Amino acid sequence: MPSSVALIAAVRGPLILITLGTLIAIDHAGGLRFSRTWPILIITFGVLKLAEYMRGGQQ
Amino acid sequence: MNPTEHPENLNPQPEIATEPIIGYCRATGKALTAADSEYVNGVLYSKEYAQHPKLKNEPGSPYTEPIVSVPKSTADISPGWAFVLGLIPGVGAIYNQQYAKGLFHIIIFAALISIVDRPGAGGPFVGFMIAGWFFYMPFEAYHTAQRRQRGEIVDEMSGLVNLPTGMKKLPVGPILLIVIGFVFLLDNLGLLRIDEILRFWPVLMIVAGIILLMQRLQSVGEVKEGGANAE
């Protein structure tokens, strides 16, 4: 459905921002350092892009 | 309440129109029935007002006006500037309004540098990759800017994934991002060592060779089939 593609595209920015915030919060809380967890950002972006493609392919 | 009773009869109004009113004239505000109304440029007018000469010059309603695509001005796109800005990682792509690609450029560049940065790793292969990537970015931006100048529509990830036609459907960009992300994550968490994997970089050449070979064989097969059909 095109509407869900638009939805995924719309929530991509906020979701990446939330992920970034979470990773930095974990860093500050003394957990895993951000220097070790940053690839999660790339993975999140890739997964969202992939979801967009899949939805686009289904219509 | 009597179900057959019409609700309007509860609140009686003077009956003016016997026919149902379909709308109101845009100019005079007169209530119109289907018989004495007329559409001019998609806007409803009364029959008499529709003959008005002023209507000929009236701009169309923005709601009904057919969509005319305005050709984008390409005068302010300069391939030279794209090249110069492309020397800064990611900025050339941003100049071409390809923000995702700009991010991708920066990530690749940062990843290569972080591989070289770790002690006892890297070596000439990664060094040459950095040099190659560094010069790839401005040239890529230059050519994208040229294509944009010619008014071609440039895909967001253009130039990054040029695939054989059969694989166009595959979302290669996202999959590549996920794989790269996982490799770096595993490396950062100490579960996998990138420099161990990089020892096997010649495998990339073999894979590239196989892909090229398959492409050639496929195109040869298509030519043969086409010839067979033409006969």
Side-chain angles (χ1 to χ4, degrees):
Chain A
M1 268 161 59
S3 62
S4 63
V5 171
L7 179 71
I8 292 169
V11 301
R12 195 166 56 217
L15 280 180
I16 287 173
L17 198 62
I18 290 169
T19 314
L20 179 67
T22 311
L23 293 183
I24 293 178
I26 290 171
D27 183 314
H28 285 200
L32 284 168
R33 303 267 75 145
F34 179 68
S35 61
R36 306 182 80 180
T37 54
W38 62 264
I40 290 176
L41 285 176
I42 306 181
I43 297 174
T44 312
F45 187 79
V47 166
L48 289 171
K49 269 288 184 192
L50 192 65
E52 210 176 309
Y53 268 91
M54 303 282 255
R55 295 288 176 174
Q58 276 171 8
Q59 61 177 316
Chain B
M1 194 198 281
N2 186 1
T4 56
E5 194 177 16
H6 206 271
E8 273 168 3
N9 292 351
L10 295 173
N11 204 352
Q13 296 211 337
E15 288 203 14
I16 300 162
T18 50
E19 283 183 76
I21 290 168
I22 63 158
Y24 299 88
C25 176
R26 191 200 201 187
T28 59
K30 194 180 150 196
L32 303 173
T33 61
D36 61 347
S37 65
E38 192 173 328
Y39 280 96
V40 179
N41 290 334
V43 178
L44 193 65
Y45 291 102
S46 64
K47 263 262 163 52
E48 50 265 35
Y49 196 81
Q51 312 301 325
H52 203 284
K54 199 178 147 195
L55 279 186
K56 295 280 185 286
N57 306 321
E58 191 87 342
S61 159
Y63 298 103
T64 55
E65 187 85 326
I67 297 160
V68 181
S69 60
V70 182
K72 279 184 192 163
S73 143
T74 54
D76 56 342
I77 302 169
S78 151
W81 262 113
F83 186 88
V84 172
L85 291 173
L87 290 169
I88 311 165
V91 180
I94 291 169
Y95 177 78
N96 286 326
Q97 299 177 352
Q98 297 173 312
Y99 302 106
K101 188 154 80 179
L103 188 71
F104 198 76
H105 281 178
I106 293 169
I107 288 172
I108 297 280
F109 196 68
L112 288 173
I113 286 179
S114 71
I115 291 172
V116 160
D117 191 43
R118 75 184 62 223
F125 177 61
V126 182
F128 275 110
M129 264 171 73
I130 289 179
W133 186 254
F134 187 77
F135 286 104
Y136 163 77
M137 287 186 293
F139 278 104
E140 200 276 332
Y142 178 83
H143 287 294
T144 307
Q146 269 190 333
R147 286 177 60 189
R148 285 179 63 219
Q149 211 175 21
R150 288 201 296 266
E152 290 175 30
I153 293 163
V154 184
D155 188 45
E156 174 84 33
M157 280 292 172
S158 67
L160 276 183
V161 276
N162 286 332
L163 286 171
T165 45
M167 287 167 72
K168 274 267 159 59
K169 292 267 156 56
L170 270 179
V172 175
I175 291 174
L176 210 63
L177 277 181
I178 294 173
V179 169
I180 290 174
F182 263 109
V183 167
F184 275 98
L185 188 64
L186 292 176
D187 180 64
N188 282 348
L189 298 178
L191 300 172
L192 186 103
R193 290 188 59 85
I194 285 183
D195 36 331
E196 286 287 312
I197 297 173
L198 279 178
R199 282 197 323 192
F200 299 102
W201 67 264
V203 171
L204 283 181
M205 293 205 295
I206 299 172
V207 170
I210 290 174
I211 289 175
L212 280 177
L213 196 66
M214 280 167 63
Q215 248 179 292
R216 297 286 156 84
L217 288 177
Q218 206 175 9
S219 58
V220 166
E222 274 166 16
V223 167
K224 269 187 185 169
E225 275 175 30
N229 291 342
E231 278 167 15

